[in-house]
mmCIF file of all heavy atoms in Angstrom:
data_model
loop_
_atom_site.group_PDB
_atom_site.id
_atom_site.type_symbol
_atom_site.label_atom_id
_atom_site.label_comp_id
_atom_site.label_asym_id
_atom_site.label_seq_id
_atom_site.Cartn_x
_atom_site.Cartn_y
_atom_site.Cartn_z
ATOM 1 N N GLN A 39 -35.022 -89.863 -180.212
ATOM 2 C CA GLN A 39 -34.568 -88.602 -179.621
ATOM 3 C C GLN A 39 -35.362 -87.466 -180.243
ATOM 4 O O GLN A 39 -35.193 -87.141 -181.423
ATOM 5 C CB GLN A 39 -33.077 -88.416 -179.870
ATOM 6 C CG GLN A 39 -32.480 -87.213 -179.174
ATOM 7 C CD GLN A 39 -30.960 -87.211 -179.260
ATOM 8 O OE1 GLN A 39 -30.365 -87.618 -180.251
ATOM 9 N NE2 GLN A 39 -30.313 -86.753 -178.204
ATOM 10 N N TYR A 50 -37.566 -103.332 -177.805
ATOM 11 C CA TYR A 50 -36.524 -104.375 -177.791
ATOM 12 C C TYR A 50 -37.095 -105.636 -178.420
ATOM 13 O O TYR A 50 -38.274 -105.960 -178.249
ATOM 14 C CB TYR A 50 -36.130 -104.639 -176.345
ATOM 15 C CG TYR A 50 -35.510 -105.993 -176.056
ATOM 16 C CD1 TYR A 50 -34.141 -106.120 -175.887
ATOM 17 C CD2 TYR A 50 -36.298 -107.140 -175.914
ATOM 18 C CE1 TYR A 50 -33.573 -107.345 -175.595
ATOM 19 C CE2 TYR A 50 -35.736 -108.374 -175.632
ATOM 20 C CZ TYR A 50 -34.372 -108.465 -175.461
ATOM 21 O OH TYR A 50 -33.807 -109.679 -175.177
ATOM 22 N N ASP A 104 -27.621 -105.557 -171.715
ATOM 23 C CA ASP A 104 -28.513 -104.719 -172.502
ATOM 24 C C ASP A 104 -28.077 -103.261 -172.619
ATOM 25 O O ASP A 104 -28.836 -102.342 -172.290
ATOM 26 C CB ASP A 104 -29.930 -104.804 -171.929
ATOM 27 C CG ASP A 104 -30.524 -106.183 -172.115
ATOM 28 O OD1 ASP A 104 -29.909 -107.007 -172.825
ATOM 29 O OD2 ASP A 104 -31.602 -106.439 -171.561
ATOM 30 N N PHE A 106 -25.972 -100.622 -175.591
ATOM 31 C CA PHE A 106 -26.027 -100.509 -177.041
ATOM 32 C C PHE A 106 -24.631 -100.272 -177.606
ATOM 33 O O PHE A 106 -24.066 -99.191 -177.449
ATOM 34 C CB PHE A 106 -26.968 -99.364 -177.410
ATOM 35 C CG PHE A 106 -28.230 -99.361 -176.590
ATOM 36 C CD1 PHE A 106 -28.510 -98.310 -175.739
ATOM 37 C CD2 PHE A 106 -29.113 -100.418 -176.639
ATOM 38 C CE1 PHE A 106 -29.649 -98.310 -174.949
ATOM 39 C CE2 PHE A 106 -30.261 -100.430 -175.860
ATOM 40 C CZ PHE A 106 -30.532 -99.376 -175.012
ATOM 41 N N GLY A 110 -27.203 -96.967 -185.541
ATOM 42 C CA GLY A 110 -27.337 -96.421 -186.878
ATOM 43 C C GLY A 110 -27.255 -94.906 -186.843
ATOM 44 O O GLY A 110 -27.113 -94.301 -185.771
ATOM 45 N N TYR B 36 -22.524 -92.919 -172.799
ATOM 46 C CA TYR B 36 -22.436 -92.646 -174.226
ATOM 47 C C TYR B 36 -22.040 -91.192 -174.450
ATOM 48 O O TYR B 36 -22.380 -90.313 -173.664
ATOM 49 C CB TYR B 36 -23.783 -92.892 -174.918
ATOM 50 C CG TYR B 36 -24.325 -94.278 -174.722
ATOM 51 C CD1 TYR B 36 -25.104 -94.588 -173.614
ATOM 52 C CD2 TYR B 36 -24.045 -95.294 -175.632
ATOM 53 C CE1 TYR B 36 -25.587 -95.866 -173.409
ATOM 54 C CE2 TYR B 36 -24.527 -96.583 -175.441
ATOM 55 C CZ TYR B 36 -25.296 -96.859 -174.327
ATOM 56 O OH TYR B 36 -25.770 -98.130 -174.129
ATOM 57 N N GLN B 38 -22.416 -88.171 -177.382
ATOM 58 C CA GLN B 38 -23.121 -87.804 -178.601
ATOM 59 C C GLN B 38 -22.685 -86.421 -179.064
ATOM 60 O O GLN B 38 -22.787 -85.451 -178.309
ATOM 61 C CB GLN B 38 -24.644 -87.825 -178.406
ATOM 62 C CG GLN B 38 -25.403 -87.576 -179.705
ATOM 63 C CD GLN B 38 -26.906 -87.612 -179.535
ATOM 64 O OE1 GLN B 38 -27.450 -87.214 -178.514
ATOM 65 N NE2 GLN B 38 -27.602 -88.096 -180.562
ATOM 66 N N ALA B 43 -25.098 -90.009 -184.121
ATOM 67 C CA ALA B 43 -25.608 -91.028 -183.212
ATOM 68 C C ALA B 43 -24.722 -91.102 -181.974
ATOM 69 O O ALA B 43 -23.528 -90.789 -182.031
ATOM 70 C CB ALA B 43 -25.632 -92.379 -183.909
ATOM 71 N N GLN B 89 -26.935 -94.593 -168.908
ATOM 72 C CA GLN B 89 -28.057 -95.497 -169.183
ATOM 73 C C GLN B 89 -28.001 -96.669 -168.209
ATOM 74 O O GLN B 89 -26.929 -97.246 -168.000
ATOM 75 C CB GLN B 89 -27.993 -96.041 -170.603
ATOM 76 C CG GLN B 89 -29.079 -97.045 -170.959
ATOM 77 C CD GLN B 89 -28.547 -98.338 -171.544
ATOM 78 O OE1 GLN B 89 -27.463 -98.375 -172.134
ATOM 79 N NE2 GLN B 89 -29.302 -99.422 -171.400
ATOM 80 N N TYR B 91 -29.183 -100.544 -167.333
ATOM 81 C CA TYR B 91 -29.705 -101.732 -168.017
ATOM 82 C C TYR B 91 -29.930 -102.881 -167.031
ATOM 83 O O TYR B 91 -29.779 -104.054 -167.374
ATOM 84 C CB TYR B 91 -28.825 -102.144 -169.206
ATOM 85 C CG TYR B 91 -27.349 -102.311 -168.956
ATOM 86 C CD1 TYR B 91 -26.814 -103.563 -168.703
ATOM 87 C CD2 TYR B 91 -26.490 -101.221 -169.014
ATOM 88 C CE1 TYR B 91 -25.448 -103.727 -168.512
ATOM 89 C CE2 TYR B 91 -25.125 -101.371 -168.814
ATOM 90 C CZ TYR B 91 -24.607 -102.622 -168.573
ATOM 91 O OH TYR B 91 -23.257 -102.783 -168.383
ATOM 92 N N TYR B 94 -35.972 -103.392 -167.322
ATOM 93 C CA TYR B 94 -36.769 -102.747 -168.348
ATOM 94 C C TYR B 94 -37.902 -101.978 -167.662
ATOM 95 O O TYR B 94 -38.427 -102.434 -166.646
ATOM 96 C CB TYR B 94 -37.319 -103.790 -169.321
ATOM 97 C CG TYR B 94 -36.323 -104.123 -170.402
ATOM 98 C CD1 TYR B 94 -35.292 -105.026 -170.167
ATOM 99 C CD2 TYR B 94 -36.365 -103.495 -171.647
ATOM 100 C CE1 TYR B 94 -34.350 -105.308 -171.146
ATOM 101 C CE2 TYR B 94 -35.423 -103.769 -172.627
ATOM 102 C CZ TYR B 94 -34.420 -104.680 -172.360
ATOM 103 O OH TYR B 94 -33.480 -104.956 -173.327
#
Side-chain angles (χ1 to χ4, degrees):
Chain A
Q39 186 170 36
Y50 157 102
D104 293 351
F106 317 116
Chain B
Y36 303 87
Q38 186 179 34
Q89 177 232 334
Y91 52 97
Y94 275 81

